Amino acid sequence: ADMVAKLFGHMVEECRAMLTDDALFQALNASMFDLAVIDPFNFCPYIYVHKLGVPFVALDATPAFFSGRNAHLPAPPTYVPAMSSQLTDNMDLLGRLKNTFLWVVSSVMDSYILSLFDKLRLSHGVRPDLTFAEMMGRAEVWMYQSD
């Protein structure tokens, strides 16, 4: 858990540095992008695209730390195996209990990680009218690797 906290703490600091770089955002705005393709492993791109007002596609090839539930992707733990669980969609009762436990642990991690980026987002006034999960759910398309 400490390693995860350090990793995402570092990502938050990088994000803070980019959000305070006015020259960077002026250059990005001048580029007038039609669409952004983001990797949601780092939650900061959600903040960038909403600050820029650019539609986006989320390409999630490494969902190890992300369950998909915050983006409203359907993945009930009774049928969809958790990442790295070595379970299949054909689970017995014990497998479903294990998967549900992993889902709960993942939910706690997701909430902690999102709270770090949410505080940063709100401190910069980026879409205070939305929750972070609502921002994530505004992707034009989600390409999500769940196996």
Side-chain angles (χ1 to χ4, degrees), residues 30-57:
S31 298
M32 297 187 303
F33 292 107
D34 294 322
L35 182 73
V37 178
I38 66 169
D39 178 1
F41 179 75
N42 182 343
F43 293 101
C44 199
Y46 295 107
I47 300 171
Y48 302 156
V49 295
H50 282 86
K51 184 173 180 174
L52 293 168
V54 176
F56 65 100
V57 170

Side-chain angles (χ1 to χ4, degrees), residues 129-146:
D129 57 318
L130 300 175
T131 65
F132 210 99
E134 289 170 332
M135 285 177 38
M136 295 169 75
R138 292 192 169 217
E140 300 296 318
V141 174
W142 266 89
M143 290 178 263
Y144 183 71
Q145 197 289 112
S146 65

